[in-house]
Amino acid sequence: MRANSMTSDSGAPLPPRPAMGRRTMLAALAAIGGGMSCARAASPVAPPGPDAIAAQWAIFRAQYFRPDGRIVDTGNNGQSHSEGQGYGMLFAVAAGDLQSFEVMWNWARTTLQHTKDKLFSWRFLPDHDPTVPDTNNATDGDLLIALALGRAGVRWGRTDLVHDAIAIYRDVLKHMTLQVGGYRVLLPGATGFVTPDVVTLNLSYYIMPALLQALELTADRAWRTIMHDGMRIILQARFGQWRLPADWVAMDRHTQVFSIAKGWPPRFSYDAIRVPLYLYWAHMLTPRLQADYARFWNHFGADGLPAWVDLTTGARSPYNAPPGYLAVAQCTGLASVAELPTLDHSPDYYSAALTLLVYIARAEEQAK
């Protein structure tokens, strides 16, 4: 049974979960981070406006969008993923491109969405027979698509899209959450992540803007619990000299102790780079967390940011991070006067997606 009160890793009491509005809820989540309010990281980079987002979307669309609506992962042999469809749909909404949005949504719905539930198969292989050989889902892709649908429904007055988003959120809640001791955790997928002793988590799948929208659209208090517990995990599951999240985290089901998951490199890299971005975007990057990210970014600087760092040895990648990682660093604590990268400098789909997410998050900050 979940206790009514808990303590953070600093020993401070965590807030209870009374009924609360979004602002009160965000303040309570911030208290988990040490009793201070959530704040945007100071950045000298001017927030981009709608025209800049539209211009960057035009580049993304030209390079990674196919006429049938498929977003292509150019760094992985032309595969497509539910994640990529969600990103593309989000970008189209932000740029006001309804036509592209509808084509992408139609492709995701007809090619990847399950018939037994509203979740999505995680990968499409264009040269494979069948093209969707694995029907396991990826929860980040499900949440990104739902976030895009909800935003599209509001922007274009489409209640059908809002209902589609709600249906996805309800199945994520039903199938992709699990009570483990005092935590309700978000599973990465339906199969392959739970054993009798360990649950494997990916903290970058806690897409906080999507979880906030889930609460707003469904009014289901369970989403508060998931965000609350997600913040507790993000604060505790930090490793190495830099106190950063690993791409994959193991949770002991008996002790609720977190460690770096076995079977993956013990790195802060490709997946975990999104953790600070999603917190920043949702106004949940607490000062305590932001300080650790800033310390890491500024140790290496804009010209030497590593693509990964080993959290057990401290070793860094022999090559530098792509522009998308730099964009994340610039909005979460890197002391730099450089402009945000543009997508014409991105080496692949993923770097481009990270960069455009930062453009959107910064623009929404300016609009508030």
Side-chain angles (χ1 to χ4, degrees), residues 58-66 72 74 343-344 346 348 352:
I59 298 172
F60 188 97
R61 187 184 187 283
Q63 294 183 355
Y64 310 112
F65 173 90
R66 297 296 178 263
V72 176
T74 57
L343 267 64
D344 49 3
S346 293
D348 57 35

Side-chain angles (χ1 to χ4, degrees), residues 19-349:
M20 59 181 76
R22 177 176 175 178
R23 290 186 180 181
T24 307
M25 180 184 66
L26 291 177
L29 288 168
I32 303 171
M36 296 181 286
S37 62
C38 293
R40 294 288 192 178
S43 173
V45 182
D51 290 345
I53 291 173
Q56 296 307 307
W57 162 242
I59 298 172
F60 188 97
R61 187 184 187 283
Q63 294 183 355
Y64 310 112
F65 173 90
R66 297 296 178 263
D68 62 357
R70 185 166 71 94
I71 297 297
V72 176
D73 183 350
T74 57
N76 278 295
N77 302 314
Q79 301 177 15
S80 293
H81 307 93
S82 56
E83 163 210 279
Q85 293 305 120
Y87 284 147
M89 290 163 63
L90 275 170
F91 302 156
V93 175
D97 185 352
L98 176 58
Q99 180 178 0
S100 295
F101 174 89
E102 288 185 322
V103 176
M104 285 183 283
W105 171 223
N106 184 65
W107 187 89
R109 180 175 51 199
T110 58
T111 308
L112 298 179
Q113 194 166 34
H114 298 167
T115 56
K116 66 181 185 299
D117 56 46
K118 297 299 182 182
L119 307 181
F120 300 81
S121 298
W122 74 282
R123 184 170 62 168
F124 174 91
L125 302 175
D127 299 324
H128 194 277
D129 185 15
T131 53
V132 182
D134 181 3
T135 60
N136 200 16
N137 70 306
T139 306
D140 65 333
D142 302 327
L143 290 173
L144 287 165
I145 291 172
L147 177 60
L149 287 165
R151 289 182 166 215
V154 171
R155 175 158 192 163
W156 291 306
R158 294 274 299 275
T159 57
D160 61 314
L161 299 179
V162 174
H163 292 156
D164 288 335
I166 291 171
I168 297 168
Y169 282 132
R170 286 177 176 165
D171 276 350
V172 169
L173 191 62
K174 179 179 179 181
H175 300 294
M176 293 298 110
T177 63
L178 178 69
Q179 193 70 35
V180 183
Y183 296 84
R184 188 165 183 176
V185 301
L186 189 65
L187 299 175
T191 61
F193 301 100
V194 179
T195 71
D197 297 318
V198 174
V199 175
T200 301
L201 305 174
N202 189 314
L203 302 188
S204 74
Y205 286 23
Y206 282 84
I207 304 171
M208 293 303 185
L211 303 184
L212 283 166
Q213 181 180 262
L215 176 61
E216 292 169 352
L217 294 184
T218 69
D220 192 324
R221 295 165 62 105
W223 292 108
R224 284 198 195 106
T225 301
I226 292 165
M227 283 186 283
H228 182 277
D229 291 352
M231 284 296 292
R232 293 170 63 206
I233 296 169
I234 288 169
L235 279 158
Q236 293 182 63
R238 294 185 287 162
F239 309 100
Q241 70 181 98
W242 303 111
R243 292 182 57 77
L244 297 173
D247 288 337
W248 293 91
V249 172
M251 180 181 187
D252 188 296
R253 297 188 68 175
H254 309 292
T255 65
Q256 286 85 68
V257 170
F258 300 96
S259 60
I260 299 172
K262 297 178 181 178
W264 287 274
R267 295 173 178 172
F268 170 78
S269 65
Y270 181 89
D271 281 288
I273 186 69
R274 297 178 294 188
V275 175
L277 171 58
Y278 292 148
L279 293 175
Y280 166 84
W281 190 7
H283 293 252
M284 293 183 184
L285 185 61
T286 64
R288 179 154 59 129
L289 286 171
Q290 192 270 332
D292 281 335
Y293 287 111
R295 184 168 62 92
F296 176 70
W297 307 137
N298 290 301
H299 174 81
F300 294 101
D303 295 330
L305 199 67
W308 54 261
V309 62
D310 188 307
L311 297 175
T312 60
T313 67
R316 57 151 293 161
S317 61
Y319 48 87
N320 284 351
Y325 288 40
L326 180 60
V328 173
Q330 284 177 303
C331 73
T332 57
L334 176 65
S336 172
V337 297
E339 295 295 324
L340 287 173
T342 56
L343 267 64
D344 49 3
H345 295 135
S346 293
D348 57 35
Y349 141 84

